[in-house]
Every structure is written in structure tokens, then in C-alpha cells.
Amino acid sequence: MTRILVATHNPGKLREYAELLADLNLHWLTLDDAGITFEVEETGTTFEENARLKAVEYARSSGMLTLADDSGLEVEALGGEPGVYSARYGGNGYDDIGRYRLVLEKLAATPAPRRQARFRCVIAICTPTGDVHTAAGSVEGLIADGPRGSNGFGYDPIFFVEDYGRTMAELPPETKNRISHRARAIQAIHETLAALVGQ
Ligand code: ITT
């Protein structure tokens, strides 16, 4: 069975990859399992650059086939913020709740039709020899008036998915894992990944 390092420090992402990769016969390991404690600095200005940086660095230090993603929320009325800074929005001292409250505050005077947003995800897979493959996925939504739901992580409680009439955090994990930016990026890279692990 091929080993793959799922290189994220974010437990929410890890839970989702466990399900998104379940159909492939893989032995996947976390950064903890691989004994990697350092964090790659995300110095890129795009999701793709940062996803590549993470996959390449963690593959280099583990010697394993490595999957990393860079993802985030883009809010139209905020000129695409928080974007690649989604994990650091508002600076140190903010947690997930503080960060989504900041988005809600900034949009307090913005009416529903102008609250469009999207989640974006770029997955990068780096082989032990340093070849990199990437794929992107996105999902459109609206920023809700307030947080709802307790599934998922990050900005899910304020991300309203019109087709379901619910926030991403109100959807069951199986549904999020069919429609999310991360699910779509996995769908786009599935064939490549299957070939890399000989399936
Ligand atoms: P790693 O770099 O270790 O993977 P991270 O949380 O720092 O973990 P990112 O740099 O990609 O990951 O930041 C992504 C942020 O965007 C994340 O912290 C969330 O706040 C948000 N985000 C990404 N995907 C999300 C999702 O599916 N639902 C809600 N928020 C999400």
C-alpha cells in the first residue's frame, strides 16, 4: 500500500481528507506521524504558490509522496479578502470565530445581493523525487448575516450555500465533501493521484 503524507496542521482539513481519500487504497500519515514539527512559511501571493511551497518542503523533509493544500475565503465586497491570508486574517490573537466575526463586521453595511463569496482550494502533490502536480476547486456562496451550524471548521458557519439553503457548517460532512472547494480539487486531481500510487 502506498504511503502518502497529508501535510496539514489543520485538523479540520485532515478530517476531510480522511474521507475524500477513502476510495483509494492508501496508507496516509499526518505531519505528527511523520515526526515533522516545523511549519512551512507561506510566503506566496497565490493559493497555488503556497500549496506548492508546502508540498515541496514537506516532501523534501519526509521523503514521502506528499499532499498539501492552500485554501481560503474570497469575499467580493472586500476585494477578495481574506484570500490567501484567511488563516491569518486580523493578525495574531484571532481564532476561527474571531476571524469570521471580523468578516461579518466588515460586511455589516453590505446588503444581501452584494455578499457574494467563494471558497477556493489548490491541492499540490509532490513526489519523493520532486515532481509537483496541482489542481484547483472552488464553491460559490453568500456571507450570512450571522454564524449558523457547528460542522466543518474555519469560515463554514458564515458561508451560506444557496442550493441547500444552509451554511456550510449546517450541512452534514458527507454533503460538504461532495460540493466543497476541497472536494472539487480532489476530483480534479484524482486521476493523477491514482496513477501516482499505481491504482
Ligand atoms: P495548513 O497550512 O497547515 O494546511 P492552515 O489552516 O494554515 O493549515 P491555509 O493556510 O490553507 O491552512 O489556510 C486556510 C484557511 O482558510 C483556514 O484556516 C480556514 O480558516 C479557511 N478555510 C479553508 N478551507 C476551509 C473550509 O473548507 N471551510 C472553512 N474555512 C476554510
Side-chain angles (χ1 to χ4, degrees), residues 5 7 36 38-41 51-63 66 126:
L5 175 65
I36 294 175
F38 74 93
E39 198 158 339
V40 171
E41 217 187 318
R52 277 177 182 270
L53 275 173
K54 289 190 259 189
V56 168
E57 281 303 311
Y58 290 127
R60 209 196 318 260
S61 53
S62 67
T66 299
C126 184

Side-chain angles (χ1 to χ4, degrees), residues 48-170:
E48 161 134 16
E49 266 181 87
N50 284 332
R52 277 177 182 270
L53 275 173
K54 289 190 259 189
V56 168
E57 281 303 311
Y58 290 127
R60 209 196 318 260
S61 53
S62 67
M64 289 171 58
L65 181 67
T66 299
L67 178 152
D69 93 37
D70 199 51
S71 45
L73 176 71
E74 291 180 344
V75 180
E76 207 101 323
L78 300 178
E81 274 187 24
V84 291
Y85 303 107
S86 291
R88 296 165 267 171
Y89 201 44
N92 292 335
Y94 278 89
D95 57 5
D96 278 356
I97 296 174
R99 283 187 281 272
Y100 73 56
R101 282 193 182 143
L102 184 57
V103 172
L104 290 172
E105 272 166 34
K106 291 200 180 200
L107 289 186
T110 305
R114 292 199 289 112
R115 296 173 75 97
Q116 298 103 316
R118 82 182 56 81
F119 275 129
R120 290 184 55 201
C121 174
V122 174
I123 291 176
I125 295 175
C126 184
T127 68
T129 51
D131 293 328
V132 184
H133 306 264
T134 63
S138 65
V139 57
E140 302 285 326
L142 294 171
I143 300 302
D145 290 334
R148 290 207 321 248
S150 54
N151 295 331
F153 66 97
Y155 298 90
D156 283 339
I158 64 162
F159 191 88
F160 184 79
V161 188
E162 283 181 286
D163 284 351
Y164 289 85
R166 294 180 183 203
T167 68
M168 203 64 114
E170 291 178 306

Side-chain angles (χ1 to χ4, degrees), residues 8-10 13 42 54 71 153 155-156 176 181-182:
T8 176
H9 288 104
N10 184 322
K13 287 188 189 179
E42 297 182 23
K54 289 190 259 189
S71 45
F153 66 97
Y155 298 90
D156 283 339
K176 180 179 177 186
H181 49 315
R182 187 162 295 105

